[in-house]
Amino acid sequence: MNKEPRKVHAIFEELRDRASYPFLFYIPKSYVEVFMEEKVLNEIDWAFDVLIMARKKMDIIFMDDKDESQEVFKKQRALKENLFDLAEYETVLNPAQFSILINNYKDHLFAM
């Protein structure tokens, strides 16, 4: 991590970008079926109960149990890096700045 003073928004953008790419998501059908009509559920059934990865625009992969992709491990490594960077930023930033950073980061992770 660069020890040079940086604006909180620049720090957040770096952490956000590491957490966002590749974009991995999983939608359990049991969770959304209470909010959607059965007809709609059936039309988009392909999106449920499968791990989906998007690396960049129009590069979408539906992963299955036999997939040998290392992308999940890369994502895990990036999130660990963010965790250690956040611990360092807590000592570098003043409490108000760190509060803004950590709250925005948590909101981003929740949205992801």
Side-chain angles (χ1 to χ4, degrees), residues 48-70:
F48 302 119
D49 299 325
V50 64
L51 182 61
I52 301 171
M53 177 181 62
R55 285 187 280 214
K56 57 186 174 185
K57 190 174 181 178
M58 302 308 293
D59 184 13
I60 298 170
I61 300 169
F62 292 83
M63 301 170 74
D64 61 26
D65 323 9
K66 298 175 186 102
D67 191 344
E68 298 298 322
S69 174
Q70 297 295 309

Side-chain angles (χ1 to χ4, degrees), residues 66-83:
K66 298 175 186 102
D67 191 344
E68 298 298 322
S69 174
Q70 297 295 309
E71 297 298 329
V72 175
F73 298 115
K74 290 178 188 175
K75 179 78 165 203
Q76 182 180 20
R77 185 172 54 242
L79 292 174
K80 278 185 184 175
E81 288 174 16
N82 282 359
L83 182 63

Side-chain angles (χ1 to χ4, degrees), residues 33-44:
E33 66 188 357
V34 296
F35 304 108
M36 302 173 81
E37 295 179 20
E38 188 172 345
K39 180 182 176 189
V40 176
L41 281 172
N42 291 334
E43 289 174 359
I44 58 171

